């Protein structure tokens, strides 16, 4: 018989594109999700946790006609033949769950879900194949009131997490308006699907390519800096003009308003202080250029939204679907204004398109408007942290009946990054435990009793459990644990009935700045009677603001 | 060209063995896990969330020499060749993470983890292929103090969740004692692995087969009721006697103690009231028969643990490993007693074996001792909800160096069931939202303002978003949502500046019991000025004890 070959040791590494989360990364996310869940719950949304694994058949969408349907998803075949896959979002499972339980669930069904999803994509820097989503959807309600509710709730979520009004804005648009524009431009036929695709993708690139670049893509095509040529939609000048009127609505409205302001200024009789109309219009311009400039009690802010709606109504003139879209936008705007969600928080913005093909009506996006520095140190707006819209066909796949639905998905990692940026989380030194050091192995029970006493009083505490021989290692350990305080109690202390309490944060500060004399004084170490241990530890924690944990209040 | 064939509709069903969790099932679990996390955190354990997907190589253990290594796990092959799999527990990923990050992590490393794991097993009633685990482990600490800490923490978890002292017990044993017994029985050689396997499995069946059944399995073999024959370990009478002395330690200790009591009673001079020794011994018997009978201040309880330790020390006489095991048990017992975790909470119990082969020292189990009725209506103890022990070889797979580790895993679903049984969760009517009904579609903004007012004051509330035409449907919806209160405000109410508030819980009670007269009075519906809506709703919620949510305090 052959000798058994020695198995090589396995590699200790997470699979490519996957990562592990440690300590505060986990608890801060849990805390954030829990606060979002509270808002969702207050609005009457119910929690749903569907299984991470779905049949490929139920997930749909990722079913190219090949043997192994694992494009974009992680999929495998069961021994009995079914293909299974990890969910790639929380919306496809919702459609399956609603179709499966529709007779038992209330209609409308408001549900929220939070958890990991998986994408079988090429990993890149900051791009992982497992990440969290946090969704809220209303299934079975056709009214724009349902869409408006989601937008209001999204605003509440932002403020509950400590993102101040003015630092975020919810942008709302409607796909039907875009469809109306396409109709007016003569691009609504079944035979124009290819062109419509190019148009949608081109509009989505407005931010990056500017109006000229988008116009090239609508026409013959566009050559980028590298010399690569992208074939365009081949639209006529007039068609492209209509589309650009939509895509560039914001800037066109501004141009028109600014031209009016100029005209007024050119008027020789013009007196800006007396002319209320001039003031109103310039406030509108400011509001459109930087939403949130005006508070909800300033009528000009509302006029700015109205101005956009009027502009869009003109643009889709003659298209039924277009008018329907503008009506829905107006209805949402009225409902939101009536509840106090004015244009300082929620604005109509025709530049919001949202990539996904399945949106059929209102679409929305939560954007953070404060500035951060990008990789190259240039200031830029933080950008989008959530998005969603109305999709009416997802359940139909299962039941044959269209079921109206609308919802939003929060990008958990981006929102975490924003909260960190704003100092709402991770700003304070993560609260490490108080370390009870081990000076005398035989007195382990005493040390554990000290830790237990601290814990009973709400203070995180632990006994050092490594080899206690080298005391330096214990202090290094305390440092690695971010411990604020170490307790030291050897034989001498025991005999005197005292403990030494070391303020490790102050100690670190002194170590950085102190003179030798100061250092020798050890002002960061206190000898107190054993009975005063708890109060002294409390005093030190309070001194460093560590008597409270978690998300900043 | 062939006509495109119509795709059949996908089945709306979770894959076999997977399920969805709705509403309170999700939030109650989240609440329970959050409370457990708080205890773990207070003990200095840090959160870790490893990826759900691991390489099959890193998971190990499930690698039969076949093309498709998916026995027991869900596995698939990456395009580049790596086999990936869903984690089947939280311990294997911990070993991988510790090996991967050992230079950055503190040593000892205390970590907790909670989340779903997946098993590719045949699903059965109540057996799912995705379920939650909730673990705490200490890696890098060899001292029994680390094991004792886990046991104390487990007791704290039980009480934090509202399981009263006396309703649970942590049972502790040590694998080395078993190894000592095997050594004494002459079963420690490498060539005896087969016999040891049979012995371990036989001991694990003690509860079910009784001492006689186990003794048959240790000898020639055993025929069960169906006539099937299981071949035994083929041990001699003497060997089997040693093993049974261990497996049946509990009953032997009791027999011996009871025999002593009988002797004392038979003594003609015996006066039970005066004889302290008799009382002490009978208390010990009671404590061993039903742990928790004695409080921590009654010395007999401690003597009961000591009695077990002494018995085991005799049993492994002559085996070094056996003595080591008994010493460790004694050390843990002393540490725990000194911290106040007496035998009313934590007991030494030789019948705890724990199935997994990788345990190398202390093993422990949290058992709930209160009675429930089984499927057949017979009373039985609730049983085990958590278990763990020391495993020193898991990290070695990766690094070649043994790293001591100990930990516990809580069975989340079983613990949830126990809390439900004890009325700690799910006992109160799940708090549905207040429903603001829609009487007049044009007044949607008013209705939303009412819901917003309630929410701002901490009351869950929503506006009905379905088709409002049929008012009966709105009340049916409220019923399905478990709503405690409905708000009704039509044109008449609007004109009078009032709202109707319907107490739906009282309404349901009246509907069951009321006479026609009572019913007509509608004592469950109140007309109040619009400005009093909030206070009236508060009053109704308080009347039904719905002013607080979540896990019972």
């Amino acid at each position: 018989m052959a000798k058994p070959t020695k198995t090589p040791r396995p590699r200790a590494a997470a699979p490519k594109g996957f990562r592990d989360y440690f300590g505060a990364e986990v608890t801060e996310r849990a805390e954030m999700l829990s606060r979002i869940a509270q808002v969702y719950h207050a609005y009457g949304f119910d929690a749903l946790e569907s299984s991470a694994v779905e049949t490929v058949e139920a997930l749909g969408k990722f079913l190219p006609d090949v043997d192994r349907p694992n494009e974009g998803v992680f999929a495998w075949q069961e021994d009995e033949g079914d293909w299974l896959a990890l969910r790639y979002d929380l919306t496809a499972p919702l459609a399956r769950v609603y179709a499966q339980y529709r007779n038992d669930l209330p209609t409308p069904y408001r549900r929220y879900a939070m958890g990991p999803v998986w994408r079988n994509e090429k990993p890149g820097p900051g791009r992982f194949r497992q990440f969290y989503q946090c969704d809220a959807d209303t299934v079975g309600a056709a009214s724009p009131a349902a869409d408006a509710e989601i937008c209001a709730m999204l605003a509440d979520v932002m403020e509950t997490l400590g993102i101040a009004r003015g630092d975020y804005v919810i942008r709302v648009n409607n796909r039907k308006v875009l469809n109306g524009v396409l109709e007016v431009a003569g691009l609504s036929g079944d035979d124009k699907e290819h062109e419509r695709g190019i148009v949608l993708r081109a509009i989505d690139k407005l931010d990056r390519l500017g109006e000229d670049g988008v116009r090239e893509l609508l026409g013959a095509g566009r050559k980028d800096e590298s010399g690569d040529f992208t074939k365009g939609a081949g639209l006529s000048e007039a068609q492209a003009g209509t589309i650009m009127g939509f895509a560039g609505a914001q800037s066109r409205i501004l141009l028109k308003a600014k031209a009016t302001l100029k005209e007024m200024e050119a008027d020789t009789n013009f007196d800006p202080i007396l002319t209320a109309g001039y003031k109103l219009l310039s406030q509108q311009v400011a509001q459109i250029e930087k939403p949130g400039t005006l508070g909800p009690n300033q009528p000009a802010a509302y006029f700015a939204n109205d101005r956009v709606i009027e502009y869009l109504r003109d643009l889709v003139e003659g298209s039924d679907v277009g008018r329907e879209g503008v009506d829905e936008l107006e209805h949402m705007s009225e409902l939101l204004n009536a509840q106090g969600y004015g244009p300082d928080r929620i604005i109509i913005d025709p530049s919001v398109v949202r990539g996904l093909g399945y949106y059929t009506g209102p679409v929305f996006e939560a954007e953070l408007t404060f500035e951060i520095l990008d990789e190259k140190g240039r200031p830029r707006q933080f950008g989008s942290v959530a998005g969603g819209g109305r999709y009416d066909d997802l359940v139909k796949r299962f039941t044959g009946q269209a079921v109206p639905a609308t919802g939003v998905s929060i990008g958990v990692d981006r929102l975490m990054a924003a909260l960190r940026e704003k100092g709402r989380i991770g700003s304070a030194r993560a609260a490490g435990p108080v370390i009870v050091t081990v000076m005398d192995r035989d007195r382990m029970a005493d040390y554990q009793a000290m830790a237990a006493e601290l814990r009973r009083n709400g203070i995180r505490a632990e006994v050092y459990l490594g080899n206690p021989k080298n005391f330096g290692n214990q202090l290094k350990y305390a440092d690695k644990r971010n411990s604020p305080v170490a307790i030291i109690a050897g034989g001498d202390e025991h005999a005197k009935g005292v403990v030494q309490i070391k303020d490790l944060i102050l100690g670190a500060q002194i170590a950085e700045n102190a003179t030798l004399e100061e250092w020798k004084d050890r002002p960061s170490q206190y000898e107190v009677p054993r009975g005063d241990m708890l109060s002294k530890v409390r005093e030190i924690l309070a001194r460093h603001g560590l008597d409270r944990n978690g998300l900043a209040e």
Side-chain angles (χ1 to χ4, degrees), chain A residues 503 505-515 518-519 522-524:
Chain A
D503 179 338
I505 296 175
L506 183 58
Q509 288 162 356
I510 292 172
E512 269 182 25
N513 308 312
T515 62
E518 288 170 339
W519 173 248
R522 294 198 302 185
S524 64

Side-chain angles (χ1 to χ4, degrees), chain A residues 449-490:
Chain A
M450 291 177 192
E453 181 186 342
L454 292 171
R455 279 197 292 267
R456 263 198 312 279
N457 289 282
I459 298 168
R460 193 181 188 204
E462 55 168 78
V463 176
Y464 181 72
L465 280 183
N467 187 333
K469 258 192 185 162
N470 181 336
F471 189 69
N473 279 347
Q474 300 200 43
L475 289 185
K476 270 184 216 154
Y477 172 83
D479 190 46
K480 213 162 202 173
R481 299 286 282 122
N482 273 322
S483 302
V485 171
I487 311 284
I488 304 163

